[in-house]
Amino acid sequence: MIVIYWRNLTQFLKQRTTALKIVALFFLVSLSIPIHAEVWLLTHSNQQVELSAKQIRAIFSLRQKNWPDGQVIELVVMDDNNDLHKQFCLDALKLFPYQLSRIWERQIYTGTAIAPTIVNSEQQMLDTIKNNPNAIGYTSQEVSNEELHSTIVD
């Protein structure tokens, strides 16, 4: 009789241990998957060029200063503390915002580049890019507007 109870108890513990391992594994996997929102690159409708990740990084680090047609690129960005700016820096540029700021400062103070335009909101970014056909920026969602062109950043 004791042997039967012992076998039932060990089988119950084995099944429960397996279930606990599965739950723990699911929990660990769900924690390791980052919550990822999309970032959209935003340009004026006149600049509907497809940009590679390398070109986006070159533009935002002020190494590429002109569009293919020769026009000077105007960067429109948000403040370093803005969540969208942080996400754009990490996802699109693979840089921390402070690293990007250092790159900008170095080029601005040496006179080799013009400082980006800093806006306070996405609406202000949309308005700034609408008014400047050579501007480039980013937004948190796709923009369907005749004057603007948005592409998702991979």
Side-chain angles (χ1 to χ4, degrees), residues 43-46 74 76 123-135 147-148:
T43 59
H44 195 274
S45 61
N46 292 348
E74 179 183 338
V76 183
Q123 184 59 48
Q124 195 175 5
M125 181 168 295
L126 296 175
D127 294 339
T128 303
I129 294 175
K130 271 185 203 174
N131 295 328
N132 185 347
N134 298 319
E147 298 176 76
L148 298 171

Side-chain angles (χ1 to χ4, degrees), residues 77-145:
V77 297
M78 294 186 176
D79 187 65
D80 281 355
N81 296 323
N82 184 289
D83 289 337
L84 181 60
H85 180 71
K86 291 176 186 174
Q87 183 180 357
F88 178 76
C89 289
L90 292 173
D91 292 350
L93 308 177
K94 311 296 185 216
L95 294 170
F96 289 105
Y98 76 89
Q99 291 174 306
L100 186 61
S101 292
R102 286 183 185 167
I103 292 169
W104 291 344
E105 289 170 1
R106 190 176 327 121
Q107 294 203 20
I108 292 165
Y109 291 126
T110 58
T112 57
I114 300 170
T117 302
I118 298 175
V119 294
N120 296 322
S121 67
E122 286 189 57
Q123 184 59 48
Q124 195 175 5
M125 181 168 295
L126 296 175
D127 294 339
T128 303
I129 294 175
K130 271 185 203 174
N131 295 328
N132 185 347
N134 298 319
I136 186 169
Y138 47 83
T139 184
S140 63
Q141 58 190 348
E142 184 176 15
V143 176
S144 54
N145 187 320

Side-chain angles (χ1 to χ4, degrees), residues 5-122:
Y5 284 123
W6 180 252
R7 285 186 181 166
N8 288 340
L9 180 63
T10 55
Q11 285 177 347
F12 174 75
L13 289 176
K14 282 183 180 177
Q15 290 172 351
R16 187 177 176 135
T17 304
T18 304
L20 285 174
K21 287 179 183 175
I22 291 171
V23 169
L25 181 63
F26 178 75
F27 181 72
L28 290 174
V29 168
S30 65
L31 284 179
S32 66
I33 298 171
I35 299 172
H36 190 73
E38 295 176 335
V39 178
W40 293 81
L41 191 67
L42 190 63
T43 59
H44 195 274
S45 61
N46 292 348
Q47 300 293 346
Q48 292 190 14
V49 293
E50 292 297 321
L51 298 171
S52 67
K54 187 176 180 180
Q55 288 174 309
I56 294 170
R57 190 175 172 141
I59 289 171
F60 279 89
S61 62
L62 299 175
R63 285 183 281 130
Q64 180 178 339
K65 297 171 182 128
N66 298 76
W67 291 108
D69 64 358
Q71 298 293 321
V72 176
I73 297 173
E74 179 183 338
L75 291 183
V76 183
V77 297
M78 294 186 176
D79 187 65
D80 281 355
N81 296 323
N82 184 289
D83 289 337
L84 181 60
H85 180 71
K86 291 176 186 174
Q87 183 180 357
F88 178 76
C89 289
L90 292 173
D91 292 350
L93 308 177
K94 311 296 185 216
L95 294 170
F96 289 105
Y98 76 89
Q99 291 174 306
L100 186 61
S101 292
R102 286 183 185 167
I103 292 169
W104 291 344
E105 289 170 1
R106 190 176 327 121
Q107 294 203 20
I108 292 165
Y109 291 126
T110 58
T112 57
I114 300 170
T117 302
I118 298 175
V119 294
N120 296 322
S121 67
E122 286 189 57

